[in-house]
Amino acid sequence: MTSDPLLALRPWETPEVTSWGRLPMNAVDRRSGAHSLDGDWRFQLLPAPDAPVGGAWSSSYVPGVWTMQSIPGTDDLPQYTNVRMPFAEFPPRSPAANPTGVYERTVDVPAEWAGRRIVLQVGAAESVLLVHVDGRPVGVSKDSHLAAEFDLSGVVRPGARATVRLTVVKWSDTSHIEDQDQWWHGGISRSVLLYATDPLHLADVTVRAGRDGELRVDCRVRDAGGALPAGWYVSGELDGHLLTQDGEFDRANAEDERVSAFLGEARLRATVPEVRTWNAETPELYGLTVRLHRRDGTVTDTSYHRIGFRDVEISGRDLLVNGERVYIRGVNRHDFHPLTGRTVSHDDLRADLVLLKRFGFNAIRTAHYPNDPALYDLADELGFYVVDEADIESHDHAHEIADDPRYLNAFVDRVSRMVLRDKNHPSVIIWSLGNESDYGANHDAAAGWTRRHDPTRPIQYEGAAKLDWAATDDASDIACPMYAPIEDCVAHALSGRQTRPLIQCEYSHAMGNSNGTLAEHWAAIESTPGLQGGFIWEFWDHGILQRVSDGRPAGRAGAGLYEGGVAAPGHRWAYGGDFGETIHDGAFIADGVVFPDRTPKPALYEHREIAAPVRLECFRHEGVVIGNHQHFRGLDWLSADWELALADGGTLTAPAELPDLRPGETAAVPVPFTLPPDGGEAWLTLRVTTARDEPWAPRGTVVCLPQVRLRAPAPASSTAAEDRGVEVDGDGLLVHPLLITAPTLSLWRAPTDNDELGHMALRWRSWGLDRLVRKVVDVRRAHGRVTVLAEYAAEVGVVRHVQVLTPVEGGLRVEESAELPDGLDDVARVGSVFETVAGLDLMEWYGQGPWESYPDRAFGAPVGHHRVPVDTLFTPYLRPQESGGRHGVRHFTLSAPDATGLTVTLDEPRQVSVTRHRAEDLTAVGHHDELVPRAGCVVHIDAAHRGLGTASCGPDTSPSHLVAPGVHRWSWTLRVL
């Protein structure tokens, strides 16, 4: 039996023990005057929590997880699982092999802290924290994503040196309720502080500020000696204006006031005239200072808060902010960094939110735990609606744990501590009880505590609401399903049974080349009362920068070894299985709208246009109709320019004057250009930018690019053939000086993650589409034209492919048809593929762009003239797959630096891709460091291309974006520059 009372508790296997010696959570600001203990700590990694400490010490940086630091003698590396636990033990057991980090350092306690209350704050440690000072036990905490505070007043001496030891046990009973879709780590992931207060101190501050300007500040006061001294009082200022102290009920009632003082409670009130309300569009904040005084007026404690006046309520089936029904354009976000794992800096957090703001997001779900405290300050400042989620996910053992009374304390503890910490942030509009943990009595207990403590915000929990979206008697005020087909959501909203808002907590899974049908999803939301949006899964690709040489994380030394989503030579983005672990879930961790270095994926541009605050509604005789699609703001913060893209005439520009529109209003403005009479296609774009510096964007930052077509293309005219013939080889393949492989039929693409996990790729392989063999049936020559009939044998029938090669003025026209048998009822693409000679390094095109787009993800790619180096057309999704496509291409040119090259004109807007990789190149490897680019260009011209969908976790693409059997026809003209 150990003599250490903390080890005797065995907290890593006792779920009833959630803490020991830990102070209650509160919302008092303690950053001012605190001493940071961040930096290098002495470190040992033990094989188990009860193993003896001994031997040599190494060093570990705090905050930081040991799994991301190359610490001598440590071999515990990151491990990724989604649903499965990384060990076999059932709850509440943890494995005997249990990495345990021992952190130790000396601390000089300031002499001026004599007579004060001294507190240690550990920002976060996963999963069990044991604290000792000078060998004496201080306390235990079990919650990997919230701070733990311990009173050290009785164990340290001001003016002396103390040794602080923090022991972090990686696996525990709480690991079973931290089974989140992310990397498993171990260590101290947030900052460690030491601070001091007067014995008479603010124990908590609760702020309630409504859109009517009414402010109420409830203060809880405690004294380290126990009994409160007589005559204490609180005062407050709001932007320099004094607040009035009130009694608990009625200041005129002396008895109530005495009772309140005895209980250590006080209330401040104020009414702010002409209050500036807070919302995500105009996040107006006020500075609130709360002071605690002794009878003689001496200030013993102070807490500063930036507060916002706003209301959140549910009215019928609408979620209202300040009385307005708002769309929730959200994303799920983890605390993540490719070099430091779970540890993120204030600058990292600001960069995350700035990027999200620039791409039209207004909401964050803190998946699946309370995030770093700085995120909430930034969300208040920059303007985001936050769904604050408790650190509860028991995915692998959800049903057993939801009603297990051994975990009751943990559920209520984690939810209540989150609420107590974050309740004063105006950005937090909804509390979430956790994620993917079934539904049971433990949730109801946590919901009951939350509703009692904070009736000003609704609660959501997908596990409760999924049983019946229309229920009214569960622990969720919002129907918040995951990956529900939009057709089901619309049907529910139209059913007459809907009782509460429907806001998907997860939708549009962003794994690899994904986020198909996002525009269709939002078109349904915006046209269907009762639907209010959702949260894309997710923000990050959680790739860890890995040294290929030794397979270990690059760590903090890896800064600068990546750019544009691509890791530097000798490094790669690691995903599940890359650290030698046998239990893992592969690349499923790479499912964000940004790459690990925060480079935007093309899907972000799609979202930006869907969320555009300004839209071109339509074009009619009196002009273009402009609409303001914001909830609270006018257009005065924006400026704009017109751009007119002509199919054959380049781009014209003109300044634009935005009309004065309130939210929801529209107005028609005249078109600033006279269209040329040639009858060609014309597209009008409004380039909308910030008119002044915003906290999240400098002046001139693009906000959106709404577009409307002014004129359709004119019918294509035929071109007379020349006398010279077309050269083909003995297999009927085109011979051309700029092509190293001739155009052949392609029905296959390097499977996307959606294709693989949605099992489409399995079906395509079973049909043999990845290994089709071309057989020439007939080659005919007549009048300089060559007609080639070929067949491709699939497992379910034969595909007949016809090419008609005709010389035309300056080049060659290729007319093609492919007849797919009924058995090929859903292929990846139907089109031509060929390869060019080396040296054609620049692509220019007229069509949608400039970023990647696909048939079901093309809303955010405006039609225009685009010019991009070929090497940048490819999108480096973490697992190589189909990428680099451009939708709606009318014509394109590939050229060398000397302006030689080729140009292709298409019969109608087509899906085109130009990269350095064949489909088989991409399919053969698991990481980009294994790819060898080809010297020439691999060109695909598709008559039809399957949509992307989100089937890796969610609905597939819509039926309109599937490639059906039957006859497909397309044509294109190839000319030499």
Side-chain angles (χ1 to χ4, degrees):
M1 177 68 69
T2 177
S3 60
D4 187 329
L6 301 191
L7 292 177
L9 285 172
R10 301 190 67 82
W12 54 90
E13 61 181 15
T14 312
E16 294 87 348
V17 176
T18 58
S19 68
W20 182 85
R22 188 180 68 192
L23 295 173
M25 182 61 78
N26 63 81
V28 179
D29 178 22
R30 295 298 184 195
R31 286 167 286 190
S32 177
H35 288 213
S36 172
L37 300 186
D38 291 352
D40 289 316
W41 288 55
R42 297 186 294 276
F43 181 78
Q44 289 190 27
L45 186 64
L46 307 179
D50 49 5
V53 177
W57 291 86
S58 55
S59 177
S60 179
Y61 191 85
V62 173
V65 289
W66 67 70
T67 41
M68 294 292 289
Q69 302 181 38
S70 295
I71 303 171
T74 63
D75 58 0
D76 187 36
L77 298 176
Q79 181 176 5
Y80 165 62
T81 62
N82 175 22
V83 177
R84 296 179 292 174
M85 289 296 293
F87 50 81
E89 283 76 7
F90 274 64
R93 305 295 296 175
S94 56
N98 192 350
T100 300
V102 180
Y103 297 81
E104 190 174 281
R105 65 164 289 172
T106 56
V107 177
D108 291 318
V109 182
E112 60 269 25
W113 285 4
R116 295 174 67 80
R117 170 177 168 265
I118 301 172
V119 177
L120 173 72
Q121 181 189 93
V122 180
E126 50 188 290
S127 64
V128 176
L129 171 69
L130 294 81
V131 180
H132 295 79
V133 175
D134 291 336
R136 298 170 62 182
V138 172
V140 171
S141 180
K142 295 165 66 173
D143 188 340
S144 293
H145 298 95
L146 282 174
E149 293 190 340
F150 303 91
D151 190 338
L152 305 188
S153 305
V155 293
V156 299
R157 185 162 53 89
R161 177 167 289 184
T163 299
V164 177
R165 174 177 289 184
L166 305 178
T167 303
V168 180
V169 184
K170 182 175 182 178
W171 304 122
S172 70
D173 55 86
T174 62
S175 299
H176 293 285
I177 58 171
E178 294 179 357
D179 181 19
Q180 291 127 355
D181 180 10
Q182 60 175 336
W183 293 98
W184 292 98
H185 288 294
I188 300 171
S189 57
R190 296 180 189 157
S191 290
V192 180
L193 304 174
L194 191 69
Y195 68 86
T197 73
D198 191 284
L200 179 66
H201 61 277
L202 291 166
D204 198 12
V205 175
T206 301
V207 178
R208 292 184 180 169
R211 77 177 192 270
D212 59 1
E214 291 296 318
L215 172 65
R216 192 182 92 187
V217 183
D218 290 315
C219 304
R220 180 169 294 173
V221 178
R222 294 291 182 266
D223 192 283
L228 292 170
W232 67 266
Y233 64 97
V234 295
S235 68
E237 292 182 12
L238 186 69
D239 281 354
H241 297 285
L242 294 176
L243 307 183
T244 302
Q245 179 174 339
D246 203 353
E248 178 64 14
F249 302 100
D250 181 354
R251 187 168 176 77
N253 187 324
E255 180 63 28
D256 286 338
E257 190 171 344
R258 287 195 299 271
V259 170
S260 178
F262 175 77
L263 294 175
E265 297 174 357
R267 177 172 293 170
L268 300 172
R269 289 185 182 274
T271 301
V272 180
E274 299 180 359
V275 66
R276 305 184 311 274
T277 57
W278 186 98
N279 59 74
E281 294 170 14
T282 56
E284 298 282 357
L285 294 174
Y286 290 75
L288 170 67
T289 302
V290 179
R291 297 184 180 92
L292 173 62
H293 305 258
R294 294 188 185 274
R295 182 193 295 273
D296 61 3
T298 305
V299 176
T300 69
D301 205 358
T302 301
S303 184
Y304 178 77
H305 306 263
R306 299 186 75 194
I307 67 169
F309 289 81
R310 62 103 184 93
D311 290 337
V312 181
E313 60 184 316
I314 291 178
S315 177
R317 54 185 188 166
D318 294 328
L319 173 69
L320 306 180
V321 175
N322 296 337
E324 295 289 330
R325 181 179 187 269
V326 297
Y327 286 123
I328 300 299
R329 303 184 185 277
V331 70
N332 289 275
R333 183 199 165 278
H334 280 283
D335 280 347
F336 168 78
H337 193 280
L339 303 181
T340 56
R342 201 93 68 227
T343 300
V344 290
S345 69
H346 184 275
D347 289 344
D348 293 330
L349 291 163
R350 176 176 281 275
D352 291 355
L353 269 59
V354 161
L355 182 75
L356 287 169
K357 195 80 174 178
R358 291 182 184 180
F359 282 91
F361 291 92
N362 69 357
I364 295 168
R365 177 176 173 233
T366 66
H368 298 291
Y369 43 81
N371 283 187
D372 188 285
L375 178 127
Y376 303 83
D377 294 333
L378 289 165
D380 295 340
E381 173 194 338
L382 298 174
F384 284 91
Y385 303 122
V386 174
V387 173
D388 204 5
E389 190 150 278
D391 188 14
I392 299 172
E393 179 170 343
S394 56
H395 208 155
D396 199 15
H397 298 286
H399 185 70
E400 304 100 289
I401 290 176
D403 284 307
D404 188 337
R406 293 175 297 177
Y407 280 92
L408 174 62
N409 288 349
F411 274 59
V412 177
D413 183 63
R414 289 168 180 243
V415 173
S416 63
R417 296 182 76 235
M418 171 187 71
V419 173
L420 289 167
R421 187 194 74 165
D422 298 334
K423 61 190 173 185
N424 295 336
H425 289 281
S427 57
V428 176
I429 65 168
I430 299 169
W431 301 118
S432 170
L433 303 180
N435 184 67
E436 292 177 320
S437 301
D438 209 323
Y439 178 43
N442 293 339
H443 294 99
D444 287 333
W449 186 95
T450 304
R451 289 191 167 113
R452 170 67 178 173
H453 185 80
D454 180 25
T456 69
R457 293 176 175 93
I459 295 172
Q460 75 172 46
Y461 177 57
E462 180 266 344
K466 74 179 181 181
L467 302 177
D468 181 0
W469 292 354
T472 58
D473 59 351
D474 56 38
S476 188
D477 302 315
I478 295 169
C480 46
M482 290 181 177
Y483 310 107
I486 191 61
E487 299 84 1
D488 293 356
C489 297
V490 171
H492 176 67
L494 300 179
S495 68
R497 296 185 62 248
Q498 186 178 6
T499 59
R500 50 188 171 181
L502 196 155
I503 302 170
Q504 292 210 58
C505 67
E506 295 178 23
Y507 81 107
S508 194
H509 194 253
M511 186 177 182
N513 192 356
S514 188
N515 300 108
T517 71
L518 190 61
E520 296 171 34
H521 200 105
W522 271 95
I525 290 171
E526 294 190 6
S527 62
T528 309
L531 306 185
Q532 268 189 266
F535 296 83
I536 289 175
W537 185 266
E538 61 166 310
F539 180 55
W540 287 105
D541 271 1
H542 293 229
I544 292 175
L545 189 68
Q546 181 186 44
R547 297 190 298 260
V548 176
S549 59
D550 60 8
R552 295 179 71 90
R556 294 159 61 91
L561 294 177
Y562 46 79
E563 183 179 5
V566 179
H571 296 77
R572 68 181 181 184
W573 297 124
Y575 49 76
D578 287 336
F579 293 106
E581 66 271 39
T582 56
I583 300 175
H584 65 84
D585 285 310
F588 206 71
I589 194 69
D591 49 9
V593 292
V594 300
F595 289 105
D597 64 352
R598 209 182 286 107
T599 297
K601 288 186 182 177
L604 272 187
Y605 295 94
E606 183 85 347
H607 186 273
R608 187 180 71 180
E609 297 310 312
I610 292 169
V614 182
R615 303 186 192 175
L616 302 184
E617 309 287 353
C618 61
F619 170 57
R620 54 194 190 206
H621 67 279
E622 65 266 39
V624 177
V625 177
I626 294 180
N628 179 357
H629 282 254
Q630 299 172 104
H631 298 294
F632 300 99
R633 207 174 189 186
L635 304 184
D636 58 305
W637 65 285
L638 299 169
S639 61
D641 293 282
W642 293 108
E643 295 180 354
L644 179 66
L646 302 169
D648 300 312
T651 302
L652 306 176
T653 62
E657 183 174 343
L658 294 174
D660 183 12
L661 298 175
R662 292 194 299 265
E665 290 185 339
T666 61
V669 299
V671 176
F673 305 103
T674 300
L675 296 181
D678 61 8
E681 187 179 22
W683 286 83
L684 183 66
T685 301
L686 186 65
R687 184 181 180 85
V688 181
T689 59
T690 51
R692 55 183 178 268
D693 289 346
E694 297 284 336
W696 49 272
R699 180 178 180 271
T701 299
V702 173
V703 174
C704 56
L705 299 168
Q707 188 175 64
V708 66
R709 189 167 72 175
L710 301 184
R711 189 165 61 194
S717 58
S718 60
T719 307
E722 298 176 345
D723 291 336
R724 64 179 177 82
V726 177
E727 185 178 355
V728 297
D729 63 14
D731 293 320
L733 295 171
L734 174 67
V735 176
H736 191 280
L738 293 182
L739 305 186
I740 61 171
T741 66
T744 56
L745 179 67
S746 175
L747 305 179
W748 166 258
R749 68 186 182 197
T752 66
D753 291 312
N754 291 330
D755 296 338
E756 292 285 12
L757 297 175
H759 306 299
M760 288 77 75
L762 178 64
R763 187 166 65 249
W764 298 338
R765 289 188 180 98
S766 73
W767 292 341
L769 300 187
D770 58 334
R771 55 190 183 276
L772 290 175
V773 177
R774 179 176 180 271
K775 176 185 177 182
V776 179
V777 175
D778 188 32
V779 178
R780 298 182 183 181
R781 292 177 171 83
H783 309 295
R785 172 185 298 178
V786 176
T787 301
V788 180
L789 171 62
E791 292 182 346
Y792 297 78
E795 292 296 322
V796 291
V798 174
V799 180
R800 294 172 58 85
H801 179 223
V802 177
Q803 282 185 330
V804 180
L805 310 174
T806 305
V808 297
E809 182 180 355
L812 173 76
R813 183 166 69 243
V814 182
E815 300 171 271
E816 305 192 62
S817 67
E819 184 178 359
L820 276 61
D822 290 343
L824 297 181
D825 59 353
D826 178 13
V827 300
R829 63 176 5 133
V830 178
S832 315
V833 59
F834 59 87
E835 295 179 33
T836 73
V837 297
L840 306 184
D841 298 332
L842 179 69
M843 180 175 176
E844 301 172 83
W845 76 98
Y846 179 67
Q848 294 188 253
W851 29 82
E852 177 191 270
S853 55
Y854 282 83
D856 62 349
R857 202 191 68 214
F859 186 82
V863 176
H865 296 276
H866 307 289
R867 176 186 173 98
V868 174
V870 168
D871 288 340
T872 65
L873 291 167
F874 180 70
T875 305
Y877 297 108
L878 260 64
R879 188 189 66 79
Q881 57 195 270
E882 163 65 34
S883 79
R886 298 311 191 264
H887 190 60
V889 176
R890 281 75 165 163
H891 56 77
F892 66 93
T893 297
L894 298 174
S895 60
D898 62 1
T900 61
L902 59 85
T903 184
V904 173
T905 303
L906 304 164
D907 58 337
E908 61 180 79
R910 298 289 187 184
Q911 181 78 20
V912 171
S913 73
V914 179
T915 71
R916 302 293 192 193
H917 309 287
R918 295 176 180 173
E920 55 263 37
D921 299 338
L922 300 171
T923 308
V925 301
H927 295 84
H928 282 271
D929 63 299
E930 304 169 73
L931 278 174
V932 179
R934 296 181 181 271
C937 301
V938 180
V939 181
H940 281 272
I941 300 172
D942 293 329
H945 195 105
R946 192 188 194 278
L948 301 170
T950 64
S952 57
C953 186
D956 194 6
T957 191
S958 61
S960 62
H961 294 301
L962 299 179
V963 180
V967 178
H968 297 264
R969 292 185 172 86
W970 67 105
S971 66
W972 46 284
T973 302
L974 173 67
R975 291 184 173 88
V976 176
L977 292 177

